[in-house]
C-alpha cells in the first residue's frame, strides 16, 4: 500500500504530486466561487456613470492553492495581498503581483519537506494583530492554510470576522480539516453580520473533468516508477526515496 500524500517534495516526484495538482485547481475555483458570491464587480472600472473601485482580496496561506488563488484574482483585476508563516513565500507572492503581509518572527516556520508547521502562541498573537488591520480593508478572504497531519489552524477568530464589512466573503478551503475561520462549516454558507462564511466540501466535484485528468496523470507517473522497462515487470526498489517514503509500513 502507498499513500501519495506522503510524497517527498523533490523534482522527480512533481509529476506524481496529487496534493499539488488538486490544490492548484482548488485555488482557482476558490476565487471563481468567491466572486460569484460577492455580487460586485472585481476590477476597477472608470465609466461615465462613475468609478467602480477594485475589489481587495486577501489570501491566507501561500502554498500551491494560495498561489493559484493570487494569480487568478490578479488576472481578474483585484488588488491582492497574502500572508504565510513561511518566509520563502514572500518572493513567490510578489512574483505574482501580490503584496506580502508578514509577521515579525524569529522561529523557523517551515518543515524540511517544505510545508508550514504549527506556530507558537506568541506568533498567533502577532498574527491576530496584523489581521485586524488587513480584515478591515479587504472584501474577500480566501483561507488555504493547512498543517499536514493536524487540524487546520484557526486563524480568523469570531472577533476578527466581525471586523469585516457587511457584504464581505470568507471562503474557507480548510473547512473539512476544521477550518481556518470561525463560523466555517463544510458544505454550508453561514451569514454573520452580513458576512458570508463559505465552508468548502468536496470542491473537486465542481471541476470533475480537469481534476480527474490531472489525478490520473499523477497516478500513472507513480505506477510507472514502480515498473522496470528492462525486466518488463514491476520491480519495486525500496531504496528509491519516492517509494520508501510513500510506502505504508507495518508497525
Amino acid at each position: 500500500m502507498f499513500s501519495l500524500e506522503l510524497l517527498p517534495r523533490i523534482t522527480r516526484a512533481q509529476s506524481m504530486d496529487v496534493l499539488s495538482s488538486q490544490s492548484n485547481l482548488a485555488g482557482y475555483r476558490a476565487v471563481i466561487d468567491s466572486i460569484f458570491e460577492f455580487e460586485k464587480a472585481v476590477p476597477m472600472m472608470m465609466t461615465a456613470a462613475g468609478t467602480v473601485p477594485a475589489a481587495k482580496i486577501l489570501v491566507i496561506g501561500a502554498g500551491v492553492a494560495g498561489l493559484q488563488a493570487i494569480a487568478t484574482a490578479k488576472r481578474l483585476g483585484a488588488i491582492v495581498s497574502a500572508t504565510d508563516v513561511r518566509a520563502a513565500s514572500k518572493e513567490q507572492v510578489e512574483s505574482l503581483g501580490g503584496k506580502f503581509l508578514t509577521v515579525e518572527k524569529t522561529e523557523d516556520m517551515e518543515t524540511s519537506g517544505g510545508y508550514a508547521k504549527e506556530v507558537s502562541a506568541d506568533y498567533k498573537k502577532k498574527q491576530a494583530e496584523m489581521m485586524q488591520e488587513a480584515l478591515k480593508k479587504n472584501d474577500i478572504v480566501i483561507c488555504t492554510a493547512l498543517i499536514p497531519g493536524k487540524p487546520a489552524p484557526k486563524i480568523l477568530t469570531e472577533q476578527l470576522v466581525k471586523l469585516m464589512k457587511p457584504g464581505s466573503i470568507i471562503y474557507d478551503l480548510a473547512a473539512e480539516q476544521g477550518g481556518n475561520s470561525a463560523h466555517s462549516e463544510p458544505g454550508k454558507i453561514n451569514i454573520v453580520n452580513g458576512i458570508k462564511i463559505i465552508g468548502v466540501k468536496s470542491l473537486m466535484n465542481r471541476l470533475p473533468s480537469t481534476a480527474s485528468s490531472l489525478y490520473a496523470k499523477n497516478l500513472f507517473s507513480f505506477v510507472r516508477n514502480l515498473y522496470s522497462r528492462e525486466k518488463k515487470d514491476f520491480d519495486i526498489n525500496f531504496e528509491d526515496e519516492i517509494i520508501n517514503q510513500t510506502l505504508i509500513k507495518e508497525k
Side-chain angles (χ1 to χ4, degrees), residues 2-249:
F2 297 94
S3 173
L4 269 66
E5 291 183 355
L6 302 175
L7 271 170
R9 279 194 156 178
I10 59 176
T11 303
R12 197 162 56 85
Q14 285 181 347
S15 63
M16 314 169 194
D17 196 340
V18 171
L19 290 178
S20 291
S21 71
Q22 303 302 296
S23 295
N24 185 56
L25 293 178
Y28 161 78
R29 185 73 199 204
V31 175
I32 302 302
D33 287 353
S34 298
I35 289 171
F36 174 78
E37 294 290 345
F38 186 49
E39 300 177 353
K40 296 180 184 178
V42 171
M44 184 180 77
M45 300 180 185
M46 300 182 71
T47 75
T51 300
V52 178
K56 294 181 179 179
I57 297 179
L58 170 64
V59 179
I60 298 176
V64 175
L67 292 173
Q68 182 57 249
I70 293 166
T72 303
K74 284 295 293 182
R75 284 195 292 265
L76 292 171
I79 297 171
V80 186
S81 56
T83 182
D84 195 286
V85 299
R86 297 164 298 176
S89 299
K90 182 177 188 293
E91 186 177 341
Q92 296 169 326
V93 169
E94 292 176 347
S95 71
L96 294 170
K99 179 183 178 183
F100 189 72
L101 306 179
T102 186
V103 176
E104 289 185 15
K105 58 184 182 295
T106 56
E107 53 193 305
D108 183 9
M109 301 296 179
E110 187 171 355
T111 67
S112 57
Y115 294 98
K117 67 180 184 181
E118 198 164 9
V119 299
S120 65
D122 181 59
Y123 183 92
K124 289 179 181 177
K125 182 180 176 181
K126 291 178 181 177
Q127 186 182 51
E129 292 170 356
M130 181 266 288
M131 284 290 177
Q132 286 179 2
E133 295 305 313
L135 292 174
K136 293 175 185 176
K137 301 173 184 176
N138 281 277
D139 303 299
I140 297 172
V141 176
I142 297 175
C143 303
T144 74
L146 290 171
I147 300 170
K150 294 186 178 181
K154 192 69 72 178
I155 297 171
L156 302 183
T157 61
E158 292 183 12
Q159 290 75 18
L160 288 175
V161 169
K162 290 177 182 177
L163 295 174
M164 296 190 74
K165 303 183 291 286
S168 300
I169 303 291
I170 296 174
Y171 193 91
D172 195 349
L173 278 172
E176 289 184 290
Q177 283 77 43
N180 294 149
S181 174
H183 310 294
S184 173
E185 296 182 70
K188 293 185 179 180
I189 299 178
N190 293 322
I191 301 176
V192 180
N193 297 330
I195 303 156
K196 287 184 181 179
I197 298 103
I198 304 169
V200 184
K201 184 178 181 181
S202 304
L203 183 59
M204 291 303 99
N205 289 349
R206 302 182 196 179
L207 291 165
S209 181
T210 309
S212 297
S213 175
L214 295 180
Y215 184 63
K217 182 61 184 295
N218 291 145
L219 291 181
F220 176 77
S221 297
F222 183 79
V223 172
R224 184 171 55 186
N225 188 55
L226 305 176
Y227 186 81
S228 171
R229 293 182 180 180
E230 291 76 21
K231 296 180 180 179
K232 295 184 179 181
D233 197 0
F234 285 98
D235 183 23
I236 300 176
N237 176 15
F238 294 103
E239 300 301 317
D240 184 313
E241 184 179 3
I242 293 171
I243 293 171
N244 184 268
Q245 291 197 28
T246 56
L247 181 68
I248 305 299
K249 304 176 180 70

